[in-house]
Amino acid sequence: MNTVTNAGRIALVMAIAATLSACASSGNPRDPLEGYNRAMFKFNDKVDEVALKPVATAYKNVLPSFVQTGVSNFFGNLSDVWSAANNLLQGKGEAGLQDIVRVSMNSTFGILGLIDIASQAGVPKHNEDFGQTLGWYGVSSGPYVVLPLMGPSTMRDTVALPLDVVGDPWRYKDPTNVRNIGTVTRVIDKRASYLDATNLMEAAALDRYQFVRDGYLQARESKVSDGGNSRSDEPAPKNDSSAINEQDNMNAAPAAADAVTSGSNTVATGTTTQ
């Protein structure tokens, strides 16, 4: 099935869920769908517990570290293509050109991206997606939502998901069986990279759902505004509804955007197969 169609259906399901779950609202303006979200969070956790985490653990324990590094570098190089496009869409020409240089260097001297030559040469890596591009231009994040298997998101990012899928170069890899094997490997590798962080989170958080939600929204807002940096001609976006007031900032757990997730929530975005 076409990946764009799948992502579009996810967005539609989220919109329907927003209506049906209104009665389950906790009163938190950032998370009006908390009843639904907690149920989906629990489902994703169970999938991770019985399937993804054990495989990722075996992957990390069995494969040599240089193989894991090569896999991460290869797919990271592919992600730089979409980062370049989004940086250029945001008018960040220097960052976009840096991404293009990274892809060129790593795809040639880095043996198809298996070796991250660009980072060794001091060319910085960016992680941009279309949801960040929309947020950069002031599109509000909308309510927090937990997507099936894909984990933490917002309405804005869910709507942007189909374009992120289209922008993933691996989606066009033929034959299909190679693409699917690569996709599964990509998911497992990314989950393996978060094992230590998620294990620590599981041990530390009293309410893991709230820990993940608050940390994710803070980190996502930081990504959208490039850590608070402004565009050259106007201030950084301030109308993102993922913003957390001063008191919430004092209470929320600090965490990196990609690590503040639970299990299968960490890895699925942009890796759907046909």
Side-chain angles (χ1 to χ4, degrees):
M1 184 176 292
N2 187 278
T3 56
V4 179
T5 302
N6 285 341
R9 287 176 178 173
I10 290 174
L12 178 59
V13 168
M14 293 303 100
I16 295 173
T19 302
L20 296 180
S21 303
C23 61
S25 172
S26 65
N28 186 325
R30 295 171 291 141
D31 189 10
L33 311 178
E34 185 171 342
Y36 160 83
N37 285 336
R38 282 187 179 271
M40 189 53 64
F41 182 89
K42 185 176 181 179
F43 168 78
N44 288 346
D45 255 4
K46 179 58 66 174
V47 171
D48 181 67
E49 177 186 345
V50 302
L52 189 54
K53 186 175 181 179
V55 174
T57 301
Y59 172 92
K60 184 173 182 178
N61 292 337
V62 172
L63 284 184
S65 60
F66 73 87
V67 174
Q68 298 177 46
T69 299
V71 171
S72 297
N73 287 343
F74 176 80
F75 287 108
N77 185 50
L78 293 181
S79 72
D80 285 341
V81 176
W82 189 228
S83 284
N86 280 284
N87 270 321
L88 293 175
L89 285 171
Q90 294 171 34
K92 295 185 286 189
E94 181 179 356
L97 289 176
Q98 289 172 341
D99 292 333
I100 293 172
V101 169
R102 286 185 58 84
V103 173
S104 300
M105 292 181 64
N106 288 338
S107 298
T108 52
F109 302 111
I111 315 175
L112 300 179
L114 294 175
I115 304 173
D116 188 358
I117 296 293
S119 290
Q120 297 176 26
V123 183
K125 182 175 179 64
H126 310 100
N127 292 290
E128 299 289 329
D129 54 52
F130 194 63
Q132 290 171 247
T133 297
L134 293 178
W136 183 254
Y137 285 106
V139 177
S140 173
S141 69
Y144 174 73
V145 294
V146 180
L147 300 179
L149 301 181
M150 295 184 177
S153 186
T154 62
M155 282 293 182
R156 178 193 63 214
D157 295 340
T158 301
V159 170
L161 181 59
L163 213 52
D164 286 328
V165 172
V166 170
D168 178 16
W170 188 251
R171 176 179 181 270
Y172 305 99
K173 176 64 178 176
D174 286 322
T176 302
N177 65 319
V178 173
R179 178 171 70 246
N180 290 342
I181 291 171
T183 295
V184 172
T185 303
R186 184 183 198 173
V187 169
I188 294 171
D189 178 78
K190 193 167 186 180
R191 179 62 181 99
S193 71
Y194 297 139
L195 282 173
D196 292 340
T198 53
N199 287 340
L200 178 62
M201 179 190 70
E202 289 167 3
L206 296 177
D207 183 346
R208 289 203 304 115
Y209 170 81
Q210 183 176 336
F211 182 95
V212 169
R213 179 196 65 197
D214 292 351
Y216 175 84
L217 290 176
Q218 286 187 77
R220 188 64 178 166
E221 183 190 6
S222 178
K223 278 192 169 186
V224 168
S225 63
D226 288 345
N229 293 331
S230 63
R231 287 177 270 176
S232 59
D233 58 343
E234 55 186 276
K238 295 296 183 183
N239 67 334
D240 192 309
S241 65
S242 66
I244 301 175
N245 63 37
E246 183 176 353
Q247 183 61 42
D248 285 342
N249 265 317
M250 295 172 62
N251 296 330
D258 294 328
V260 183
T261 53
S262 97
S264 60
N265 300 336
T266 61
V267 295
T269 301
T271 60
T272 310
T273 60
Q274 291 184 333

